[in-house]
Amino acid sequence: MEKLDACIRNHDKEIEKMCNFHHQGFVDAITELLKVRTDAEKLKVQVTDTNRRFQDAGKEVIVQTEDIIRCRIQQRNITTVVEKLQLCLPVLEMYSKLKEQMSAKRYYSALKTMEQLENVYFPRVSQYRFCQLMIENLPKLREDIKEISMSDLKDFLESIRKHSDKIGETAMKQAQQQKTFNVVLQKQNNVKFVKNVYINDRIPEERNEVELKRGFEEEDENEEEVLTVQDLVDFSPVYRCLHIYSVLGDEETFENYYRKQRKKQARLVLQPQSNMHETVDGYRRYFTQIVGFFVVEDHILHVTQGLVTRAYTDELWNMALSKIIAVLRAHSSYCTDPDLVLELKNLIVIFADTLQGYGFPVNRLFDLLFEIRDQYNETLLKKWAGVFRDIFEEDNYSPIPIVNEEEYKVVISKFPFQDPDLEKQSFPKKFPMSQSVPHIYIQVKEFIYASLKFSESLHRSSTEIDDMLRKSTNLLLTRTLSSCLLNLIRKPHIGLTELVQIIINTTHLEQACKYLEDFITNITNISQETVHTARLYGLSTFKDARHAAEGEIYTKLNQKIDEFVQLADYDWTMSEPDGRASGYLMDLINFLRSIFQVFTHLPGKVAQTACMSACQHLSTSLMQMLLDSELKQISMGAVQQFNLDVIQCELFASSEPVPGFQGDTLQLAFIDLRQLLDLFMVWDWSTYLADYGQPASKYLRVNPNTALILLEKMKDTSKKNNIFAQFRKNDRDKQKLIETVVKQLRSLVNGMSQHT
């Protein structure tokens, strides 16, 4: 405290010193102030007056200043508002643009606009309430876009389902136009080969020129308007929907839905109508729908990324191809019209070429065509069987008469007949064959043309086509024509004259087979000397027909002989012969003479065989007449009458009704009858029994059993006619002789039976 008090005292001393030091100055200052006091008051008055006058003068300035301040505040607020509006206006403009895009159904652009709003514009104005409302509304808009785009896709799928046939028709037409153009060019290059065809088998050059001209005209017309799948279908719904789902990140859902729906549509397209096989339009509609479906898928594959893949289209095509082949195989089996089968083949070829142009494998379709080709050949064979039957029905089975050169040339132009002897003859004259021969030859060529039509456009070599033509022609000859000939030959109304003409016809048809081979060669340009070239089986076909006709001639000739023999009316109990041959036998011999005159046109061996067969059958029939079990009694007069008839038969045989027999070959047909009748006429039983079994026996051909049967019938007659003559010695001796011979013959017959 002492120190503090000391310090205070020190400070007080210093203050006192300072005050003393400045006191004079203070006094001087007060003095100065007093002096200026008066001036200050004056100045105050002046300042007050000046202030008053200034305040009065500044009232308007204050008012204006306040206005300026207020305007500046408003200007600042306006600037702030403008800045905020400039920040919000792009958002509003984009949202307005979004609304316009939604109204205009530009959904992909709308989604892009939403992305811009969310990523760029909304963050700038997120503090405003309207922005929150917009943000909350965007998910709903996205769902609306998905629903709308999916609805558009469904409408698109329904539309292409309805328009698939139009799309397919256009695609197939374009493929056909391209193919036609290529074929026309090929024909133009190969027309020189057509001119080399055999004169009787040539394809008219005028027809080729017309086809070429028509092909180029069609090509020119088709070039005027070439429609594509884009021209027929609006694919924008698919693009939009794909882009929309891609933007929304749900692309997989869209792909799965699209593929699922298209597979369903594929199954519907592949389901044929029940009556599709009845008309070609049914097949055409079926093919166009399938082509339209896969053309759309191919377009989608190439213009979109990932919506459909090559693996997906290949799987879908393999499934469809299996179904298509099964459907075609089933429905084509009902086709009986070759024209319809040919139309089906052409549709399948165009169908395959069209889809092959879009990259789809079609080898299995061409394999199917080979199955249908066999069916086509079957329908052709059935059709031509009817054609052949009609030709045979309309034929008169007589040589073709010609009265002038024009008729001769007409026949030659239809059938390749060459005979120098006939050419030298004067008119009128006759072709050896009947009218059916040139008609059949023409129809065989027409069959080859028809078969060739199916072979076209199958992408096969000329060698394969040649082989197919020859095989189908062989089927026509060996099966159809041969069957028709055999059926014709066996018809009851076909007589011997017709059968002779049929044999002549088959001979000329057989000779014409080489011209048919030349005809096929000229079509395919495949030489017959080629190792694998098949030959036509006309030789065996017509040879079999001739053999059948020859057999039928023998049969009918024998039947005719039987008819005459049935007219025989012998009196088996007559005592004396009439002295002349029976009427039925003379009629039969006259008939045989006239028939064998017709046989002069037949090959020598056929006529000789027929003549020998007729004589042998006549001999057998006469022998059976004698040995008939119903015939109980035969008189010697009847035997003598029967001998007169056999003599006429032998005279007929010796007259050589058919040239070419050596010596008495034909007479040997009656040797059994002759020796048997001689035995009974001469009654040389001792010689017969003594020489029986000897090679040099006079009655070598007489069978003991046959002699026994006939002798017993004569024995019964002797008993009946000589019931009172038994008292005459000669008759008793003859009766005993007969009984003795009968016993010996029975002994021979029994011995033969035991030996056997």
Side-chain angles (χ1 to χ4, degrees):
M1 288 302 292
E2 290 177 356
K3 288 181 179 181
L4 182 61
D5 290 338
C7 184
I8 291 171
R9 284 193 298 275
N10 289 332
H11 282 292
D12 288 339
K13 289 178 181 181
E14 289 179 358
I15 292 170
E16 184 178 355
K17 286 180 181 181
M18 187 175 291
C19 289
N20 290 332
F21 178 75
H22 292 289
H23 177 71
Q24 188 59 43
F26 179 74
V27 173
D28 293 339
I30 292 300
T31 302
E32 289 292 333
L33 287 172
L34 290 174
K35 289 179 179 181
V36 296
R37 182 176 181 178
T38 304
D39 294 333
E41 290 178 353
K42 292 179 180 181
L43 180 60
K44 181 179 178 182
V45 173
Q46 291 178 353
V47 170
T48 303
D49 183 58
T50 302
N51 181 52
R52 179 180 57 75
R53 287 187 286 109
F54 185 76
Q55 288 294 334
D56 292 339
K59 287 181 179 179
E60 294 180 0
V61 176
I62 291 172
V63 173
Q64 292 178 357
T65 302
E66 290 177 353
D67 291 341
I68 290 173
I69 292 172
R70 188 168 56 256
C71 288
R72 290 295 176 85
I73 293 173
Q74 290 178 351
Q75 185 178 10
R76 186 176 63 250
N77 291 340
I78 289 172
T79 301
T80 302
V81 169
V82 168
E83 290 177 354
K84 298 301 182 182
L85 286 177
Q86 287 177 344
L87 189 62
C88 294
L89 274 178
V91 179
L92 297 174
E93 289 175 354
M94 290 297 290
Y95 196 79
S96 176
K97 180 180 178 182
L98 174 62
K99 289 295 186 180
E100 292 176 358
Q101 290 170 341
M102 291 291 292
S103 300
K105 298 182 178 181
R106 297 166 53 199
Y107 302 116
Y108 179 73
S109 300
L111 289 175
K112 289 297 184 181
T113 302
M114 290 182 193
E115 286 186 354
Q116 290 182 337
L117 284 172
E118 289 177 331
N119 297 329
V120 179
Y121 293 97
F122 282 167
R124 300 176 184 174
V125 292
S126 59
Q127 68 273 20
Y128 300 112
R129 190 163 59 88
F130 77 89
C131 179
Q132 296 300 322
L133 293 176
M134 291 180 181
I135 292 174
E136 294 173 359
N137 195 37
L138 289 186
K140 182 178 180 301
L141 291 177
R142 283 194 173 94
E143 289 300 321
D144 292 342
I145 290 174
K146 285 181 69 174
E147 293 177 1
I148 293 171
S149 62
M150 185 58 70
S151 176
D152 290 344
L153 177 65
K154 292 178 180 179
D155 294 340
F156 166 79
L157 293 175
E158 181 65 21
S159 174
I160 61 172
R161 188 185 69 82
K162 294 179 179 179
H163 294 87
S164 290
D165 55 346
K166 182 63 177 178
I167 299 170
E169 181 181 356
T170 302
M172 291 176 67
K173 187 181 295 183
Q174 292 172 358
Q176 188 175 12
Q177 290 169 0
Q178 182 63 37
K179 181 178 179 181
T180 301
F181 179 74
N182 295 335
V183 170
V184 168
L185 290 180
Q186 184 178 5
K187 285 185 177 181
Q188 189 181 35
N189 294 332
N190 295 337
V191 70
K192 58 183 179 180
F193 295 108
V194 177
K195 297 180 181 179
N196 295 329
V197 180
Y198 180 69
I199 184 170
N200 286 330
D201 304 327
R202 66 175 180 273
I203 303 171
E205 298 175 10
E206 293 79 3
R207 186 173 71 180
N208 284 317
E209 294 175 358
V210 170
E211 290 178 356
L212 293 175
K213 184 177 180 181
R214 186 184 299 118
F216 284 118
E217 289 176 352
E218 291 177 356
E219 185 65 24
D220 293 338
E221 292 176 359
N222 295 332
E223 287 180 354
E224 294 178 359
E225 183 179 1
V226 178
L227 297 176
T228 61
V229 66
Q230 295 92 333
D231 299 324
L232 299 173
V233 180
D234 180 16
F235 287 92
S236 56
V238 180
Y239 306 149
R240 287 196 302 268
C241 200
L242 176 61
H243 293 160
I244 287 169
Y245 274 78
S246 298
V247 171
L248 295 176
D250 203 8
E251 185 176 0
E252 184 177 355
T253 300
F254 171 73
E255 291 175 359
N256 293 335
Y257 176 81
Y258 177 84
R259 296 181 183 182
K260 181 179 179 181
Q261 294 300 316
R262 288 297 279 167
K263 285 184 177 180
K264 289 182 179 179
Q265 290 185 346
R267 294 187 182 95
L268 292 176
V269 167
L270 295 171
Q271 190 66 30
Q273 296 181 353
S274 59
N275 61 342
M276 183 179 73
H277 61 276
E278 296 179 358
T279 61
V280 69
D281 291 334
Y283 287 108
R284 183 179 291 109
R285 191 178 304 110
Y286 182 68
F287 286 129
T288 53
Q289 289 179 349
I290 296 174
V291 170
F293 178 89
F294 282 99
V295 166
V296 170
E297 288 304 287
D298 181 76
H299 180 76
I300 294 295
L301 173 66
H302 288 88
V303 299
T304 61
Q305 295 181 352
L307 180 56
V308 295
T309 61
R310 175 56 68 181
Y312 162 79
T313 55
D314 289 344
E315 178 186 358
L316 196 61
W317 169 245
N318 290 330
M319 180 271 293
L321 189 58
S322 299
K323 178 67 175 178
I324 292 168
I325 291 175
V327 167
L328 292 178
R329 185 178 286 124
H331 281 263
S332 63
S333 62
Y334 297 110
C335 295
T336 57
D337 182 7
D339 294 333
L340 180 58
V341 179
L342 184 61
E343 290 286 346
L344 173 59
K345 167 258 175 181
N346 292 332
L347 284 175
I348 294 176
V349 170
I350 297 173
F351 173 75
D353 290 342
T354 302
L355 290 176
Q356 190 175 34
Y358 285 91
F360 295 100
V362 294
N363 292 334
R364 292 173 62 189
L365 285 174
F366 284 100
D367 294 337
L368 174 65
L369 282 175
F370 281 94
E371 297 180 21
I372 298 179
R373 180 199 65 190
D374 297 336
Q375 181 184 347
Y376 175 73
N377 286 335
E378 289 298 325
T379 58
L380 283 182
L381 293 175
K382 291 180 181 178
K383 178 180 179 180
W384 257 259
V387 172
F388 290 149
R389 284 194 297 268
D390 294 340
I391 292 175
F392 291 141
E393 288 293 333
E394 297 171 0
D395 195 10
N396 57 8
Y397 297 100
S398 38
I400 303 174
I402 48 176
V403 298
N404 52 44
E405 186 70 23
E406 292 182 0
E407 293 184 0
Y408 182 83
K409 290 181 179 179
V410 169
V411 176
I412 292 299
S413 65
K414 295 179 180 178
F415 184 75
F417 180 80
Q418 296 179 355
D419 187 354
D421 295 335
L422 182 63
E423 293 178 3
K424 294 176 182 179
Q425 295 177 14
S426 60
F427 294 101
K429 50 188 176 182
K430 294 181 179 180
F431 283 98
M433 66 278 187
S434 66
Q435 194 63 48
S436 62
V437 172
H439 290 332
I440 290 175
Y441 182 79
I442 291 173
Q443 287 303 320
V444 172
K445 290 199 300 181
E446 290 298 327
F447 176 87
I448 295 172
Y449 277 131
S451 182
L452 177 63
K453 288 180 181 178
F454 195 94
S455 300
E456 294 175 346
S457 307
L458 292 185
H459 308 298
R460 297 293 173 179
S461 65
S462 299
T463 303
E464 291 175 304
I465 294 176
D466 182 87
D467 185 62
M468 287 188 286
L469 288 180
R470 293 179 185 273
K471 286 182 178 179
S472 59
T473 306
N474 278 329
L475 281 176
L476 178 72
L477 296 176
T478 59
R479 198 170 77 184
T480 304
L481 182 55
S482 176
S483 176
C484 291
L485 282 170
L486 293 177
N487 292 334
L488 173 68
I489 291 168
R490 297 189 182 102
K491 286 187 176 180
H493 70 275
I494 297 296
L496 292 170
T497 305
E498 288 82 0
L499 289 171
V500 171
Q501 188 61 54
I502 289 172
I503 291 176
I504 296 172
N505 290 348
T506 55
T507 302
H508 289 286
L509 286 173
E510 179 183 333
Q511 295 171 355
C513 283
K514 63 178 181 179
Y515 296 101
L516 291 175
E517 289 189 343
D518 294 339
F519 177 68
I520 296 175
T521 299
N522 289 326
I523 290 177
T524 60
N525 292 322
I526 299 299
S527 174
Q528 298 183 33
E529 283 71 25
T530 305
V531 176
H532 301 289
T533 301
R535 294 287 183 260
L536 296 185
Y537 302 144
L539 180 63
S540 60
T541 299
F542 298 117
K543 183 179 293 185
D544 294 342
R546 275 199 304 278
H547 288 167
E550 292 167 7
E552 198 68 20
I553 285 177
Y554 308 149
T555 301
K556 288 186 179 294
L557 194 56
N558 293 341
Q559 291 175 351
K560 200 67 177 177
I561 292 173
D562 292 338
E563 293 175 5
F564 279 98
V565 171
Q566 288 175 2
L567 298 176
D569 187 17
Y570 287 101
D571 181 5
W572 297 108
T573 61
M574 65 171 55
S575 58
E576 295 293 336
D578 294 339
R580 62 180 181 274
S582 303
Y584 85 92
L585 188 68
M586 297 308 297
D587 293 339
L588 172 57
I589 291 175
N590 292 331
F591 167 76
L592 291 176
R593 289 186 188 279
S594 63
I595 285 296
F596 291 144
Q597 286 294 326
V598 178
F599 284 6
T600 56
H601 298 290
L602 290 175
K605 291 184 179 180
V606 176
Q608 293 170 11
T609 304
C611 186
M612 177 60 75
S613 173
C615 291
Q616 289 175 344
H617 185 72
L618 177 57
S619 176
T620 302
S621 299
L622 293 174
M623 181 69 77
Q624 290 176 350
M625 191 183 301
L626 286 175
L627 303 179
D628 189 0
S629 59
E630 295 182 359
L631 179 60
K632 303 300 183 181
Q633 299 175 356
I634 299 177
S635 67
M636 182 56 70
V639 172
Q640 292 172 349
Q641 179 63 41
F642 200 83
N643 182 59
L644 292 176
D645 292 344
V646 174
I647 290 173
Q648 290 297 324
C649 294
E650 291 173 329
L651 291 175
F652 169 74
S654 62
S655 65
E656 197 176 7
V658 173
F661 285 107
Q662 296 180 356
D664 56 353
T665 303
L666 191 58
Q667 292 174 275
L668 292 177
F670 300 97
I671 189 65
D672 292 354
L673 273 174
R674 171 48 49 212
Q675 291 186 6
L676 179 63
L677 292 174
D678 286 348
L679 177 60
F680 278 85
M681 293 292 291
V682 179
W683 208 254
D684 191 8
W685 292 105
S686 59
T687 303
Y688 173 73
L689 294 173
D691 295 343
Y692 178 75
Q694 300 297 323
S697 174
K698 181 179 178 181
Y699 305 103
L700 181 64
R701 307 284 296 183
V702 178
N703 187 287
N705 189 39
T706 303
L708 176 62
I709 294 173
L710 185 57
L711 189 60
E712 286 181 336
K713 292 180 180 182
M714 293 185 69
K715 173 185 174 183
D716 294 339
T717 304
S718 299
K719 287 181 179 180
K720 181 178 180 181
N721 294 337
N722 299 314
I723 188 169
F724 299 107
Q726 57 184 334
F727 302 104
R728 294 195 294 268
K729 185 176 184 300
N730 292 336
D731 293 333
R732 289 198 304 271
D733 294 342
K734 184 177 181 180
Q735 189 67 28
K736 290 180 180 180
L737 177 62
I738 292 175
E739 291 177 357
T740 302
V741 173
V742 166
K743 290 180 181 179
Q744 292 178 347
L745 288 175
R746 283 177 180 169
S747 176
L748 285 175
V749 171
N750 293 332
M752 292 172 59
S753 300
Q754 293 175 2
H755 178 71
T756 303

